[in-house]
Each structure stands twice: as C-alpha cells, then as structure tokens.
Amino acid sequence: MTFVDIIDDNNLVDDNTKNMLIELLECAAKYENIDTNITEMSLSFVSKEEIQEINRDYRGKDIPTDVISFALNDEVEDEINIIGLEDEFNSLGDIIICVDIAHEQAQEYNHSFDREIGFLAVHGFLHLLGYDHMNDKDEKEMFGKQEAILEKFGLRR
C-alpha cells in the first residue's frame, strides 16, 4: 500500500514530477501529523476539458479550474458516527489537477511547473484535511500552511 495513488491515464506528467509530488505530499502529511502507514489518497492529472466536465457535474460550475478536491472525511448532516474505527485505515479522498492550467499559471506567476503543480497538490491536500479559505481567518491559516510546507520541502517561487 502506498500513501498516494497516482492516476495519469493520458500521461500528462513525467515520472520525475510524479515522484516529487509523492515526496511533497508525504512531507505535507508529516507536517500535519498524518500517519501515512494507515492513510491513503489519490492524485489525478487531467486536461482542461476533463476538469471542466468534473467541475460542471460535481460543483455546478461549467468552467475549467486548476484543482478540485473530493474529501471523504467531510462530515455530512445526519451522518451516523461509527465508533471504534478511529485507528483503522483512512482514505482522505481525491485531488484532481488540471495540468494545462498548471502550465499556464506557472508562466503567469513566473515560476517553475514543479512549483505550481506542487502548490496545487498541497492546496488540494489541505482541503482533504478540512482546511478552507471561505473567510479571511481561514484563508490566512490555510495559505500560511501551504507556504510553510512548500518552503520546508524546498519549492520556492
């Protein structure tokens, strides 16, 4: 079992970048005290067309976006709590990154593709853990964690 399951059906990302992202997400997990021996998640790479379809179907927004996260541990109203499984295997969810937009944003922000796709992966990972940026306080916390993880890993702007 591996912590990060990579899905790249169209070979959009090279193996070196995939390996870097696995190491980065392991660093992020360590930063957040996540036990990667009993936790898993998936990281998928898609085109603009694919992410627009996903964004439309699941979020009601018919536009492409850079990253989407589907957290499996989100609490849902009226959900039954399962007691006694706290130490069992944990699936965090799925992160989907649009490689086309990652390339565009790397150019726009004048940094490397690895920095941009790393930023998107960490951003998605923090969403899987329940962090959000819907208000100034939460945004400051989440973005601060993103930058701290990227800095610790060595992915600077």
Side-chain angles (χ1 to χ4, degrees):
M1 182 207 74
T2 59
F3 169 55
V4 181
D5 181 29
I6 299 280
I7 302 166
D8 187 10
D9 294 336
N10 297 313
N11 297 314
L12 300 173
V13 177
D14 67 52
D15 288 341
N16 289 335
T17 300
K18 289 175 189 173
N19 291 331
M20 179 274 297
L21 289 170
I22 291 169
E23 291 175 17
L24 172 60
L25 290 167
E26 288 171 348
C27 176
K30 184 176 182 180
Y31 185 88
E32 286 293 310
N33 298 311
I34 302 295
D35 184 348
T36 58
N37 294 311
I38 60 168
T39 307
E40 73 173 1
M41 57 169 283
S42 73
L43 177 61
S44 300
F45 303 107
V46 298
S47 67
K48 264 189 184 176
E49 295 77 22
E50 290 170 298
I51 206 150
Q52 181 169 345
E53 184 178 325
I54 293 164
N55 205 20
R56 181 189 65 231
D57 293 351
Y58 292 95
R59 298 183 64 231
K61 298 180 179 185
D62 194 12
I63 57 170
T65 188
D66 52 5
V67 61
I68 297 176
S69 298
F70 292 101
L72 294 179
N73 293 329
D74 282 347
E75 292 184 15
V76 178
E77 190 174 325
D78 298 327
E79 184 176 45
I80 298 172
N81 288 330
I82 301 174
I83 299 170
L85 296 179
E86 293 84 3
D87 294 326
E88 295 295 320
F89 194 74
N90 181 25
S91 184
L92 295 177
D94 310 307
I95 300 170
I96 303 168
I97 294 176
C98 178
V99 176
D100 300 326
I101 294 177
H103 279 293
E104 290 170 7
Q105 290 178 170
Q107 281 190 310
E108 180 182 336
Y109 301 135
N110 198 28
H111 55 231
S112 70
F113 174 71
D114 280 357
R115 169 60 165 84
E116 183 61 25
I117 204 164
F119 171 86
L120 296 174
V122 170
H123 185 87
F125 175 74
L126 290 173
H127 276 307
L128 294 184
L129 298 182
Y131 293 99
D132 214 329
H133 43 89
M134 299 301 285
N135 61 52
D136 290 341
K137 179 181 176 261
D138 292 345
E139 180 177 311
K140 185 176 180 180
E141 178 185 20
M142 183 174 176
F143 285 36
K145 285 181 178 280
Q146 285 172 181
E147 289 306 315
I149 292 165
L150 291 166
E151 180 72 24
K152 179 178 174 74
F153 189 75
L155 273 181
R156 295 173 183 86
R157 288 188 163 190

